[in-house]
């Protein structure tokens, strides 16, 4: 059986993710986690279908790398774009929505400058800066490797739009929690234009890495 036809077996990954999450939620009797698992599993399943249809796989090694790519998408979702619908459903609605201005930065390079001009920069802030620089490099690299995008500029555009989407989602979540009692988000879940800058730089690193590897560059430039 050709690997291009077998690539749809990767759809088992979001199914396994769903089954594992549901089993944990049922074991601990947590309705919020159950709803969160179902919602995020559906999102992952849709993303996996789209990427699987667009990816070009040549051999079984490509299939293994494609599985790694999908697992990276799963990790990316959990790190920066996890949708906590269940927490909202199980919380008391107050309707007192307001924008948390202290969690928003729209001035470019402010956060970056503040991080490196501190008398003693903290390790979490340094890790956050480095993490944002590396976060989306695998995305742009694999988009080119599997010829999901046909050029480095298109891969970089996808990275930029992905970063904007992440920041928009975080803005919506940080605003919505103000309308519910006892709601909180993970630390560092804020809306920052510097994150978009660093994430785009991250995408550029992935593009440069792809073109710097002769075998990958040849694969990208090949028409078929």
């Amino acid at each position: 059986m050709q690997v291009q036809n077998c690539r749809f077996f990767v759809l088992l990954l979001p199914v396994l993710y769903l089954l594992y999450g549901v089993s944990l939620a049922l074991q601990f009797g947590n309705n919020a986690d159950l709803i969160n698992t179902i919602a995020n599993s559906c999102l992952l399943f849709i993303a996996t279908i789209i990427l699987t249809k667009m990816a070009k796989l040549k051999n079984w090694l490509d299939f293994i790398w494609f599985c790694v790519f999908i697992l990276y998408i799963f990790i990316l979702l959990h790190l920066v774009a996890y949708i906590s619908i269940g927490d909202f459903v199980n919380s008391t609605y107050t309707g007192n929505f307001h924008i948390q201005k202290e969690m928003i930065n729209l001035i470019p390079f402010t956060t970056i400058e503040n991080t490196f001009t501190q008398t003693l920069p903290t390790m979490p802030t340094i890790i956050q800066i480095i993490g944002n620089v590396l976060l989306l490099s695998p995305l742009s690299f694999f988009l080119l490797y599997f010829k999901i995008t046909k050029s480095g500029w298109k891969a970089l555009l996808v990275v930029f739009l992905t970063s904007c989407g992440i920041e928009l989602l975080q803005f919506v979540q940080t605003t919505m929690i103000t309308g519910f009692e006892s709601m909180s988000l993970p630390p560092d879940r804020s809306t920052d234009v510097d994150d978009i800058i660093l994430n785009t730089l991250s995408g550029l690193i992935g593009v440069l890495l792809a073109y710097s590897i002769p075998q990958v560059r040849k694969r990208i430039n090949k028409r078929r």
Side-chain angles (χ1 to χ4, degrees):
M1 186 180 296
Q2 294 183 353
V3 66
Q4 190 67 11
N5 296 325
C6 292
R7 72 189 192 280
F8 287 99
F9 282 115
V10 79
L11 294 175
L12 291 174
L13 292 176
V15 174
L16 293 175
Y17 172 88
L18 173 63
L19 294 176
Y20 177 72
V22 168
S23 65
L24 287 180
L26 293 177
Q27 180 180 352
F28 294 101
N30 193 320
N31 291 331
D33 284 346
L34 179 61
I35 296 173
N36 290 340
T37 296
I38 294 174
N40 286 280
S41 295
C42 291
L43 184 61
L44 288 170
F45 191 78
I46 293 172
T48 304
I49 289 178
I50 294 173
L51 292 173
T52 302
K53 285 186 176 181
M54 298 179 67
K56 301 295 188 296
L57 278 64
K58 295 183 177 181
N59 50 50
W60 290 105
L61 181 59
D62 280 0
F63 178 77
I64 294 174
W65 279 115
F66 188 64
C67 290
V68 172
F69 179 36
I70 297 301
L71 290 174
Y72 159 76
I73 297 297
F74 286 19
I75 295 172
L76 184 65
L77 174 75
H78 271 272
L79 287 177
V80 295
Y82 190 79
I83 301 176
S84 304
I85 296 178
D87 297 313
F88 289 102
V89 172
N90 287 355
S91 298
T92 303
Y93 174 71
T94 64
N96 186 27
F97 292 109
H98 62 276
I99 296 175
Q100 302 187 65
K101 295 181 180 180
E102 68 279 5
M103 301 184 70
I104 300 174
N105 170 45
L106 299 179
I107 303 176
F109 303 107
T110 298
T111 302
I112 299 173
E113 182 180 359
N114 290 339
T115 298
F116 290 103
T117 56
Q118 292 176 10
T119 304
L120 184 63
T122 61
M123 186 57 64
T125 55
I126 294 176
I127 291 176
Q128 184 179 5
I129 293 292
I130 296 175
N132 280 322
V133 171
L134 299 177
L135 184 67
L136 298 184
S137 293
L139 177 60
S140 58
F141 179 88
F142 282 122
L143 286 175
L144 288 170
Y145 183 85
F146 293 114
K147 307 189 78 170
I148 297 173
T149 57
K150 296 182 180 180
S151 69
W153 290 111
K154 290 182 179 179
L156 198 58
L157 177 61
V158 171
V159 167
F160 173 75
L161 294 177
T162 299
S163 181
C164 290
I166 291 171
E167 296 305 310
L168 178 60
L169 175 62
Q170 293 180 352
F171 169 76
V172 171
Q173 288 185 326
T174 54
T175 301
M176 286 188 63
I177 63 173
T178 61
F180 293 83
E181 290 184 355
S182 304
M183 281 282 302
S184 61
L185 289 175
D188 301 323
R189 186 61 60 88
S190 60
T191 303
D192 196 331
V193 67
D194 283 3
D195 288 348
I196 297 178
I197 295 173
L198 293 174
N199 289 163
T200 304
L201 175 61
S202 176
L204 179 60
I205 292 173
V207 170
L208 294 177
L209 179 62
Y211 280 100
S212 66
I213 302 175
Q215 296 88 341
V216 178
R217 183 173 65 250
K218 182 178 179 181
R219 177 191 180 100
I220 295 170
N221 294 330
K222 193 174 181 179
R223 292 188 177 182
R224 288 189 176 182

